[in-house]
Amino acid sequence: MKRILLTLVSFALVGSVYATCETDACLWVCDVSDDANGNVKFTVCATSTKDIAGFQFGVEVENSDFQLNSIVAGSDASDFVIKGESFVLGYAFGTSPIKAGEELEIAEFKGSYTYHDNSSIVKIVKGNGSLVLASPDADDIKCTTIDN
């Protein structure tokens, strides 16, 4: 029964993000790992035409009691400093930025849930009031979020 969250999000991930990204960057949940025991991990990816030196955002799961337990750097941001308990703040401090590219794994949100319904949607949302990607020059990277 709990695997339905994984199934719903997986179907939403099948579409091409590249065709829908009309800004310098797009953020979306690109992978979901659900253990069928109420534990889930959402990987957030970015497709960006510019190098990324920092980011701030959160995730929200509608129609679910998802409780966030931890946030870690994604594989493409492994050298970044990661902060946050309810949202992620990541930045390159003395390290190289994330090079522009497609399906860049920048953060993983791990948590648990006891219920959800068939209309559960994972959204990228503002974290502490901001949803931002920043370039190495600290310029905002125009970004679109894609809900799954």
Side-chain angles (χ1 to χ4, degrees), residues 1-9 32-40 42 64-65 112-118 120:
M1 182 64 106
K2 291 186 178 182
R3 281 251 184 233
I4 198 163
L5 182 60
L6 173 62
T7 303
L8 288 173
V9 175
V32 178
S33 176
D34 186 329
D35 71 358
N37 291 312
N39 300 301
V40 65
F42 299 112
S64 173
D65 67 341
S112 58
Y113 64 94
T114 57
Y115 77 89
H116 63 86
D117 67 24
N118 291 342
S120 293

Side-chain angles (χ1 to χ4, degrees), residues 1 5 9 19 39 42 57 67 70 76-77 81 88 94 96 98 118 134 137 143:
M1 182 64 106
L5 182 60
V9 175
N39 300 301
F42 299 112
F57 57 87
Q67 296 295 313
S70 66
D76 291 299
V81 175
V88 65
S96 299
I98 300 168
N118 291 342
D137 296 326
C143 179

Side-chain angles (χ1 to χ4, degrees), residues 13 21 29-30 47 51-52 62 71 80 91 94 104 111 114 128 136:
L13 297 175
C21 190
V29 175
C30 59
T47 289
D51 292 352
I52 301 170
E62 292 184 349
I71 306 168
F80 272 43
Y91 54 92
L104 303 166
T114 57
N128 200 33

